[in-house]
Amino acid sequence: KEEKHPISVTRKTDSVVESDDERKRYEHARTYLNSAVNTKRESGVELSKVPKHIAVIMDGNRRYGRNKYGSATRGHWDGSKTLVDFAKWCLAEGVEVVTVYAFSTENWNRSASEVSALMTIFCKYCDELRTEALTRGIKLNVLSTETDQIPNDVKAGITKMVNDTKHCKNLTMNICLSYGSRGEIVNACKSI
């Protein structure tokens, strides 16, 4: 069943049409990204005991969105905001590397409207994450095992985000997009 969401994307022209509600959420997110929320150390854990690398699987955003808003897409938007919170917290706590499994190769099997909405969210957040990363010294990497299905506008956003932040040293964030263990095993075997 195709879901209704406030964003409609026409991939032929890569244009995005937003509702007023979506515009307000987007502006709020832009303000929030630049805020000082979650930038002060608060755990009390000795720095020598803070993990150097934390990996996170972004799971449950669709279910959360359906339960809270009646829309999976809104759950994905909230998940993006939570990721920013988490990155700020990791930076404040002294974590060196964060790996986020954001979109697996299996996610391409979801409805066309949901995949389109997810790609739109990712495309918008590429620029916002890039700006935030440059402000806070976060190096962004995007890891993919299958890139063929990633839309060109998302690829362009990824390229700019990765290139512009490659000099940053305070935290490294690896974002796994169109990533699957099966593809990783195949790629590893091919490289032998």
Side-chain angles (χ1 to χ4, degrees):
K1 177 182 168 186
E2 294 272 314
E3 290 187 22
K4 292 182 180 178
H5 51 79
I7 303 169
S8 65
V9 176
T10 308
R11 282 285 165 210
K12 291 178 185 170
T13 61
D14 291 326
S15 64
V16 177
V17 178
E18 300 174 335
S19 68
D20 287 338
D21 184 45
E22 183 56 37
R23 241 181 234 102
K24 287 176 188 173
R25 269 200 313 278
Y26 181 63
E27 287 304 315
H28 175 73
R30 293 181 77 183
T31 303
Y32 185 80
L33 280 170
N34 294 315
S35 74
V37 174
N38 290 334
T39 59
K40 293 188 172 102
R41 197 153 194 283
E42 59 186 35
S43 73
V45 174
E46 290 178 37
L47 282 176
S48 63
K49 294 182 180 179
V50 171
K52 301 287 182 212
H53 188 165
I54 296 177
V56 177
I57 298 172
M58 292 182 73
D59 188 34
N61 292 328
R62 177 170 58 164
R63 186 172 41 255
Y64 166 81
R66 283 180 180 156
N67 290 339
K68 183 168 183 175
Y69 305 113
S71 165
T73 303
R74 290 198 55 195
H76 293 305
W77 277 106
D78 283 3
S80 298
K81 179 179 163 271
T82 301
L83 175 59
V84 171
D85 281 345
F86 184 69
K88 287 179 176 182
W89 180 85
C90 287
L91 187 59
E93 293 297 326
V95 174
E96 295 175 11
V97 179
V98 174
T99 298
V100 179
Y101 294 89
F103 187 89
S104 75
T105 51
E106 290 81 18
N107 290 143
W108 291 113
N109 297 324
R110 292 184 177 187
S111 72
S113 64
E114 185 174 1
V115 169
S116 182
L118 285 166
M119 290 298 109
T120 299
I121 290 168
F122 196 82
C123 194
K124 279 190 171 186
Y125 269 92
C126 278
D127 192 51
E128 295 300 325
L129 286 172
R130 182 186 64 80
T131 301
E132 179 75 9
L134 289 169
T135 301
R136 299 185 191 279
I138 301 171
K139 178 182 180 180
L140 299 169
N141 297 314
V142 177
L143 309 173
S144 300
T145 56
E146 297 177 28
T147 59
D148 294 346
Q149 295 184 70
I150 300 173
N152 289 334
D153 57 342
V154 175
K155 287 180 183 177
I158 289 169
T159 299
K160 183 165 181 49
M161 182 175 73
V162 169
N163 287 340
D164 289 358
T165 64
K166 64 184 172 188
H167 69 281
C168 296
K169 307 239 184 267
N170 293 338
L171 173 73
T172 298
M173 178 180 279
N174 300 310
I175 302 169
C176 300
L177 174 73
S178 193
Y179 185 92
S181 59
R182 184 174 298 147
E184 186 174 20
I185 291 168
V186 168
N187 291 340
C189 290
K190 286 180 180 178
S191 69
I192 295 176

